[in-house]
Amino acid sequence: MSAYFEDEIFEQQGFIKTGDYEGCSFKNCDLSKANLSGTNFIDCRFENCNLSGAVIVKTSFQETVFSNCKMLGLHFEDANTFLFTPQFGDCALTLCSFYGVTLKNAGFTNCICHEADFTDANCSGIVFNNCDFLHAKFENTNLKKADLHTAFNYSIDPEGNKIKKASFSFPAVSGLLDKYDIRID
């Protein structure tokens, strides 16, 4: 029988038990390289946590908020993507992989997504609010109706991605022309 936790606060933890966490808060926890496989987080909140390199195979994040978290190298394609609705605010998501993940109900605000992989991901309708996509990979990504007005440092090939009715702003929109290796003055 797996552990069940409801409305509990976990502070400065370096380990959590596999189980179900509902309405729980995690504050200043260092869960880097932790094995969170098979754990369910429902309506949970992570604040100032380090989850870098954590193993999240079949881990569920439903209505889960990450605030000011370091989450380097996570493989979200290995997570349980049923009702996958994470909200990322002020997070470092460098080297994270969202390969093939449906992110339509996810939120990204003030995130560093350097070298993140969004290949084959469904990002339709997402608002990427003030996110840095330096060297992020967008291939066959569905960005229809996505809002990248305040996003920057992205390089997106319009021919290799779905960008119909997506919104961009100048000067960052020049990232749609990177593959042509042209100079814009």
Side-chain angles (χ1 to χ4, degrees):
M1 182 171 182
S2 68
Y4 179 76
F5 303 91
E6 185 175 8
D7 299 327
E8 291 191 36
I9 297 173
F10 299 88
E11 293 190 63
Q12 299 180 339
Q13 299 291 311
F15 171 82
I16 59 171
K17 292 182 180 180
T18 301
D20 297 323
Y21 294 82
E22 191 166 350
C24 294
S25 292
F26 300 86
K27 297 179 180 184
N28 303 306
C29 295
D30 185 359
L31 299 170
S32 57
K33 298 185 180 169
N35 187 350
L36 303 176
S37 296
T39 302
N40 298 310
F41 297 101
I42 302 164
D43 196 27
C44 289
R45 183 169 186 84
F46 289 82
E47 296 177 37
N48 301 309
C49 294
N50 183 357
L51 293 127
S52 297
V55 180
I56 55 172
V57 176
K58 297 190 187 322
T59 303
S60 179
F61 298 105
Q62 298 176 24
E63 302 296 327
T64 299
V65 174
F66 298 93
S67 178
N68 200 35
C69 291
K70 186 176 177 184
M71 306 173 76
L72 310 181
L74 295 185
H75 288 268
F76 287 98
E77 74 272 12
D78 294 337
N80 179 352
T81 56
F82 179 71
L83 299 176
F84 185 67
T85 52
Q87 302 297 309
F88 303 103
D90 300 298
C91 291
L93 295 164
T94 297
L95 295 170
C96 283
S97 176
F98 296 95
Y99 181 88
V101 176
T102 296
L103 295 166
K104 290 170 36 171
N105 296 311
F108 292 81
T109 301
N110 300 323
C111 292
I112 298 170
C113 300
H114 294 181
E115 299 183 63
D117 186 358
F118 292 91
T119 301
D120 290 325
N122 184 349
C123 300
S124 63
I126 287 187
V127 176
F128 290 109
N129 187 16
N130 199 41
C131 293
D132 184 352
F133 290 107
L134 185 68
H135 303 298
K137 188 175 181 180
F138 293 92
E139 291 180 9
N140 197 37
T141 307
N142 182 350
L143 291 162
K144 290 179 180 177
K145 297 183 181 178
D147 184 344
L148 290 101
H149 271 105
T150 58
F152 55 98
N153 288 331
Y154 53 79
S155 179
I156 300 171
D157 178 0
E159 295 171 21
N161 295 282
K162 300 169 186 156
I163 62 169
K164 187 175 184 174
K165 297 196 178 184
S167 53
F168 304 91
S169 65
F170 187 80
V173 72
S174 63
L176 298 177
L177 302 173
D178 284 349
K179 83 174 208 168
Y180 299 109
D181 197 21
I182 59 176
R183 194 176 87 194
I184 301 170
D185 294 323

